[in-house]
Amino acid sequence: MDGRLTLVIHEGSAYVQTYYALSGYEMLDASIDNLRKRESTPKRLIHCLLSSGEVYRGDGENRNVPDGVRREVGTWLARKPELSAAVWTGLESNWKEKRSGKTFSVDDAVIYTRELEQAAKQKTGDDRRKAEIDLNSVREYVRNTPAQVQTAVRKRLSAQPEWADAALSHALFDSE
């Protein structure tokens, strides 16, 4: 895996506005498999909650949805009676593993981006190309997340011009 910094549904984090998209698939298993392929992740990390509040297991794979996440997604789903289920990528944070045991914090996330910027300037050859790829993938992800999804990390980073939100087409978002 590269050095991406991505958004995850994380129990205990501040609530932020987010978006959803309707699946073009009729069958739930097809929707799950489509998301798994797009995210290039194992099926066990694709979570699904039925409108009944039950975690959908489909093929019997163990999909551990944290209780707090299940409650919040269930509450949201209850406000959407037209939907029969919610499907999302249930990634776990790997921050401690990648950052030598440090607990995730906004300050350390910003420090991480500074380290990527320094590596992209200071390294040479293949190491520099890898550092530039890592920096560009983090920057692209942060900048191309809808402006309404303002995590504390994005707020801090977007104060700098090179991290400012990209202008996304309004056609991408349904207004409710």
Side-chain angles (χ1 to χ4, degrees):
M1 190 78 179
D2 60 30
R4 287 183 288 174
L5 177 65
T6 61
L7 299 171
V8 297
I9 296 174
H10 181 261
E11 194 169 17
S13 292
Y15 295 114
V16 296
Q17 180 176 342
T18 190
Y19 288 92
Y20 68 96
L22 296 176
S23 174
Y25 293 90
E26 294 281 328
M27 303 302 295
L28 197 48
D29 286 323
S31 294
I32 289 168
D33 197 49
N34 174 261
L35 181 58
R36 180 196 63 75
K37 287 176 184 172
R38 283 188 291 123
E39 293 284 330
S40 300
T41 196
K43 195 179 258 188
R44 67 180 172 74
L45 294 178
I46 303 301
H47 293 174
C48 179
L49 188 70
L50 302 175
S51 58
S52 66
E54 178 185 349
V55 173
Y56 179 74
R57 304 228 183 261
D59 54 14
E61 281 214 31
N62 184 18
R63 293 184 177 97
N64 291 321
V65 179
D67 289 339
V69 172
R70 185 174 57 207
R71 276 191 304 276
E72 291 302 322
V73 173
T75 298
W76 173 83
L77 199 51
R79 293 192 309 264
K80 302 284 182 191
E82 70 278 14
L83 302 179
S84 59
V87 179
W88 69 96
T89 307
L91 298 177
E92 295 177 0
S93 176
N94 63 358
W95 195 259
K96 282 187 177 187
E97 171 191 326
K98 299 291 185 177
R99 299 290 289 165
S100 302
K102 293 180 183 177
T103 300
F104 177 82
S105 70
V106 174
D107 288 338
D108 196 43
V110 172
I111 289 168
Y112 173 70
T113 64
R114 299 294 173 263
E115 290 170 357
L116 290 175
E117 290 169 339
Q118 288 300 317
K121 291 176 186 172
Q122 295 174 349
K123 292 188 176 187
T124 59
D126 287 341
D127 289 339
R128 182 180 188 135
R129 279 188 284 287
K130 182 191 178 316
E132 288 171 344
I133 289 168
D134 286 350
L135 173 62
N136 289 334
S137 70
V138 170
R139 192 173 279 154
E140 178 182 26
Y141 188 89
V142 169
R143 293 188 72 229
N144 288 318
T145 297
Q148 295 84 348
V149 182
Q150 282 300 319
T151 66
V153 173
R154 288 191 75 221
K155 286 176 187 174
R156 290 267 300 275
L157 291 174
S158 66
Q160 302 157 64
E162 66 273 17
W163 290 92
D165 292 343
L168 302 177
S169 170
H170 293 289
L172 293 172
F173 311 105
D174 234 356
S175 54
E176 289 186 31

